[in-house]
Amino acid sequence: MFASCIRCCWKRGLRPAGSKLEITEGVLIKRSVARASILRRLKNLGSASPMDDFGTGYSSLSYLQSFPFDKIKVDQGFIKNVTKAPQSAAIVPCRAGL
Protein backbone atom coordinates (compact mmCIF):
# COMPACT_ATOMS: atom_id res chain seq x y z
CA MET A 1 0.00 0.00 0.00
CA PHE A 2 2.90 2.38 0.72
CA ALA A 3 4.20 1.95 -2.83
CA SER A 4 0.67 2.54 -4.18
CA CYS A 5 0.41 5.84 -2.29
CA ILE A 6 3.78 6.99 -3.62
CA ARG A 7 2.93 5.94 -7.21
CA CYS A 8 -0.40 7.73 -6.96
CA CYS A 9 1.33 10.95 -5.89
CA TRP A 10 3.95 10.82 -8.64
CA LYS A 11 1.39 9.84 -11.28
CA ARG A 12 -0.57 13.01 -10.55
CA GLY A 13 2.51 15.20 -10.40
CA LEU A 14 2.41 15.50 -6.61
CA ARG A 15 5.27 15.02 -4.23
CA PRO A 16 4.56 13.13 -1.00
CA ALA A 17 6.05 16.04 0.97
CA GLY A 18 3.26 18.49 1.66
CA SER A 19 0.46 16.07 0.76
CA LYS A 20 -2.26 14.87 3.15
CA LEU A 21 -3.72 11.41 3.45
CA GLU A 22 -6.90 11.64 5.53
CA ILE A 23 -7.78 8.43 7.30
CA THR A 24 -11.08 7.40 8.89
CA GLU A 25 -11.32 5.09 11.87
CA GLY A 26 -12.95 2.29 9.88
CA VAL A 27 -9.95 2.03 7.55
CA LEU A 28 -7.64 1.40 10.50
CA ILE A 29 -9.54 -1.51 12.02
CA LYS A 30 -8.16 -4.19 9.71
CA ARG A 31 -4.39 -4.55 9.50
CA SER A 32 -3.82 -1.62 11.83
CA VAL A 33 -0.15 -2.49 12.46
CA ALA A 34 0.62 -2.47 8.73
CA ARG A 35 -1.31 0.76 8.22
CA ALA A 36 0.49 2.46 11.11
CA SER A 37 3.78 1.54 9.44
CA ILE A 38 2.60 3.02 6.15
CA LEU A 39 1.54 6.27 7.83
CA ARG A 40 4.92 6.55 9.56
CA ARG A 41 6.75 6.02 6.27
CA LEU A 42 4.60 8.65 4.54
CA LYS A 43 5.19 11.03 7.44
CA ASN A 44 8.95 10.50 7.05
CA LEU A 45 8.55 11.71 3.45
CA GLY A 46 6.80 14.87 4.68
CA SER A 47 3.19 13.82 4.20
CA ALA A 48 0.56 14.73 6.81
CA SER A 49 -1.95 12.19 8.13
CA PRO A 50 -5.05 13.71 9.73
CA MET A 51 -7.69 11.37 11.17
CA ASP A 52 -11.16 12.21 9.88
CA ASP A 53 -14.49 11.54 11.64
CA PHE A 54 -12.98 10.48 14.97
CA GLY A 55 -15.77 9.22 17.20
CA THR A 56 -17.93 7.46 14.59
CA GLY A 57 -17.93 3.97 16.01
CA TYR A 58 -14.54 2.44 16.70
CA SER A 59 -13.16 5.34 18.73
CA SER A 60 -10.30 4.42 20.95
CA LEU A 61 -7.75 6.65 22.55
CA SER A 62 -5.21 3.95 21.77
CA TYR A 63 -5.44 5.04 18.11
CA LEU A 64 -4.06 8.38 19.14
CA GLN A 65 -0.97 6.64 20.52
CA SER A 66 -0.58 4.02 17.80
CA PHE A 67 -0.74 6.23 14.72
CA PRO A 68 1.24 9.34 13.76
CA PHE A 69 -1.75 11.65 13.27
CA ASP A 70 -1.04 15.32 12.67
CA LYS A 71 -4.61 16.38 13.29
CA ILE A 72 -7.78 14.80 14.63
CA LYS A 73 -11.09 15.87 13.15
CA VAL A 74 -13.96 15.11 15.55
CA ASP A 75 -17.10 13.76 13.89
CA GLN A 76 -19.86 16.31 13.27
CA GLY A 77 -22.32 14.17 15.25
CA PHE A 78 -20.63 15.29 18.45
CA ILE A 79 -20.40 18.91 17.38
CA LYS A 80 -24.06 19.19 16.26
CA ASN A 81 -25.38 17.93 19.60
CA VAL A 82 -23.17 20.01 21.88
CA THR A 83 -26.00 22.37 22.79
CA LYS A 84 -28.65 19.64 23.00
CA ALA A 85 -26.92 16.70 24.69
CA PRO A 86 -24.94 17.18 27.89
CA GLN A 87 -22.87 14.07 27.06
CA SER A 88 -21.65 15.63 23.81
CA ALA A 89 -20.98 18.91 25.55
CA ALA A 90 -18.67 17.10 27.96
CA ILE A 91 -16.93 14.89 25.38
CA VAL A 92 -16.01 17.49 22.75
CA PRO A 93 -13.86 19.75 24.98
CA CYS A 94 -12.08 16.71 26.44
CA ARG A 95 -11.19 15.38 23.00
CA ALA A 96 -10.22 18.85 21.78
CA GLY A 97 -7.87 19.22 24.73
CA LEU A 98 -6.04 16.02 23.79
Side-chain angles (χ1 to χ4, degrees):
M1 186 172 161
F2 174 75
S4 295
C5 289
I6 299 302
R7 274 194 303 275
C8 184
C9 284
W10 290 114
K11 197 176 195 181
R12 288 164 178 73
L14 304 170
R15 293 179 348 155
S19 65
K20 284 185 195 174
L21 178 63
E22 288 196 6
I23 308 292
T24 61
E25 287 179 77
V27 170
L28 299 175
I29 297 305
K30 293 180 183 174
R31 301 182 58 196
S32 62
V33 173
R35 293 194 171 139
S37 173
I38 291 164
L39 291 178
R40 283 189 194 89
R41 291 172 71 188
L42 288 170
K43 187 172 184 76
N44 288 338
L45 292 174
S47 179
S49 299
M51 176 183 260
D52 194 21
D53 295 334
F54 187 72
T56 57
Y58 300 106
S59 300
S60 171
L61 294 177
S62 67
Y63 283 131
L64 304 181
Q65 294 175 323
S66 302
F67 295 93
F69 297 120
D70 298 293
K71 182 180 191 180
I72 298 167
K73 297 163 72 178
V74 178
D75 182 63
Q76 281 187 1
F78 287 114
I79 306 301
K80 282 186 208 175
N81 293 322
V82 167
T83 59
K84 299 174 191 164
Q87 301 88 341
S88 292
I91 291 169
V92 171
C94 292
R95 293 244 170 118
L98 292 172

